[in-house]
């Protein structure tokens, strides 16, 4: 063993102890630390009934029209990754947040924070990708802003997008509507985005080309709502993965959730990468998938509609909401046992969106 002392002064932990007096990486990871930051610092400071919904987007009424309103910031590293880049992500992520309210996304704003010294060709590549993604999603970037920070005070490009869309009549998607007996459906294979980012960021080789699943889900949601507007809740499992979304829904609804581990669609490449790295695919981020809680009487028809759409061909029933263990998510294993699928403290891989 070397006698050289290991210098850990510059290290940061994405999942630290909770009673920290300073912001740490885990506060941005979409897990328990993020929830505590919002619930105990931001929500009391801002107040308001709309904010108290704490959904992916806020449902508001304005001039007799029900609107969904959402904002998100993108600090992904690296800027470009297999299957997309920060530009696609900034459009699709906000469109998806609106879609999880059932809204038809209409307009986006875009704020660029550029680091001094970033190449104009890189900025142009990001902007062009955003424009293409917006056109594909059927939305318009209607307004924006640009700021520049000194070299060394950014990471090339950060982007904020906000979006608005109209919620159709009769659509009411929120976790409080979940009841025991609801069927849990996931729209396809999980974990692709997080593993794609990890592969290029850390220079890892998994023997296959893993592409991010980054995509706009508005069309898929539209197909589902055409079957019935009586879907109970939708979520896109980004930071914290499927596990975080299921835990948030269980806690807000006061129901338990049971999933069957063997039914969760995990591609072999993701499973192998997670096995090598000691990660659980349930906690790995996605950017083009959704999880739906659907009344049992509509589940078969909704599942058929999802499988008929290009972004839902691998849609699968993975579990149900139950009376037992309210607020908890448990997984039934292949061996017949059960394990608790807890809310992650932070994020297994920070800066993935």
């Amino acid at each position: 063993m070397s006698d050289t002392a290991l210098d850990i002064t510059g290290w940061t932990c994405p999942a630290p102890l909770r009673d920290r007096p300073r912001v740490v990486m885990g506060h941005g990871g979409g897990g328990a630390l993020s929830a505590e930051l919002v619930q105990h610092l931001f929500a009391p400071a801002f107040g308001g009934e709309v904010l108290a919904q704490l959904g992916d987007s806020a449902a508001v009424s304005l001039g007799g029209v029900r609107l969904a309103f959402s904002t998100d910031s993108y600090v992904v590293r690296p800027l470009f990754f297999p299957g997309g880049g920060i530009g696609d992500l900034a459009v699709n992520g906000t469109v998806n947040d609106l879609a999880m309210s059932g809204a038809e996304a209409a307009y986006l704003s875009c704020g660029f924070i550029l680091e001094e010294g970033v190449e104009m060709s890189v900025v142009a590549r990001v902007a062009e990708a955003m424009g293409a993604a917006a056109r594909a999603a059927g939305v318009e970037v209607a307004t924006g802003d640009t700021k520049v920070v000194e070299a060394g005070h950014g990471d090339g490009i950060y982007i904020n997008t906000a979006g608005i869309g109209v919620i159709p009549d009769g659509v009411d998607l929120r976790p409080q509507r979940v009841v025991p007996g609801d069927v849990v459906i996931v729209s396809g294979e999980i974990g692709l985005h997080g593993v794609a980012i990890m592969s290029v960021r850390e220079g890892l080789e998994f023997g296959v080309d893993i592409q991010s699943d980054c995509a706009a889900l508005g069309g898929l949601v539209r197909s589902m709502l055409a079957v019935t507007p009586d879907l109970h809740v939708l979520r896109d499992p980004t930071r914290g993965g499927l596990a975080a979304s299921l835990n948030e829904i269980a806690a807000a609804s006061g129901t338990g959730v049971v999933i069957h581990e063997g039914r969760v669609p995990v591609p072999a490449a993701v499973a192998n990468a997670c096995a090598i790295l000691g990660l659980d695919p349930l906690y790995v981020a996605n950017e083009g998938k959704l999880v739906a809680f659907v009344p049992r009487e509509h589940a078969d028809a909704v599942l058929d509609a999802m499988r008929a759409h290009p972004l839902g061909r691998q849609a699968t029933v993975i579990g149900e909401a139950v009376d037992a263990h309210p607020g908890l998510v448990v997984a039934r294993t292949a061996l017949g046992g059960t394990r608790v699928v807890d809310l992650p403290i932070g994020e297994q891989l920070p800066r993935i969106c």
Side-chain angles (χ1 to χ4, degrees), residues 15 24 40 145 160 179 192 201 224 238 241 253 287 312-313 324-326 338 346:
V24 293
H40 301 304
D145 181 52
N160 173 272
V179 295
L192 289 163
R201 184 185 297 177
M224 297 167 68
T238 54
S253 65
E287 287 293 346
R313 287 175 180 154
H325 50 79
T338 59

Side-chain angles (χ1 to χ4, degrees), residues 100 173 185-187 217-231 233-234 290-294 298 301-307 309 312 315:
M100 296 308 103
L173 298 175
I185 303 174
V186 67
S187 64
L217 296 170
L220 176 60
V221 172
R222 195 157 49 244
S223 297
M224 297 167 68
L225 291 173
V227 173
T228 175
D230 189 30
L231 306 179
V233 69
L234 302 177
L290 64 80
V291 59
F293 282 63
V294 180
H298 300 308
V302 170
L303 187 63
D304 289 343
M306 295 175 73
R307 289 175 173 170
H309 190 277

Side-chain angles (χ1 to χ4, degrees), residues 155-219:
D155 200 2
I157 300 174
Y158 298 150
I159 299 176
N160 173 272
T161 49
I164 57 172
V166 177
I167 302 174
D169 291 339
V171 173
D172 182 17
L173 298 175
R174 49 193 172 89
Q176 292 78 11
R177 296 195 63 218
V178 171
V179 295
D182 280 358
V183 173
V184 181
I185 303 174
V186 67
S187 64
E189 295 179 328
I190 66 168
L192 289 163
H193 179 71
V195 172
I197 294 289
M198 191 182 311
S199 67
V200 292
R201 184 185 297 177
E202 307 300 337
L204 302 175
E205 296 288 343
F206 299 117
V208 294
D209 182 23
I210 300 176
Q211 301 277 321
S212 169
D213 60 342
C214 183
L217 296 170

Side-chain angles (χ1 to χ4, degrees), residues 106-126:
Y107 296 102
L108 301 181
S109 71
C110 172
F112 272 83
I113 300 174
L114 306 176
E115 183 181 12
E116 181 185 24
V118 67
E119 295 179 3
M120 283 292 185
S121 61
V122 173
V123 180
R125 181 180 172 187
V126 171

Side-chain angles (χ1 to χ4, degrees), residues 296-322:
R296 186 170 296 277
E297 62 268 26
H298 300 308
D300 288 342
V302 170
L303 187 63
D304 289 343
M306 295 175 73
R307 289 175 173 170
H309 190 277
L311 295 179
R313 287 175 180 154
Q314 295 171 312
T316 305
V317 173
I318 63 168
E320 63 181 338
V322 297

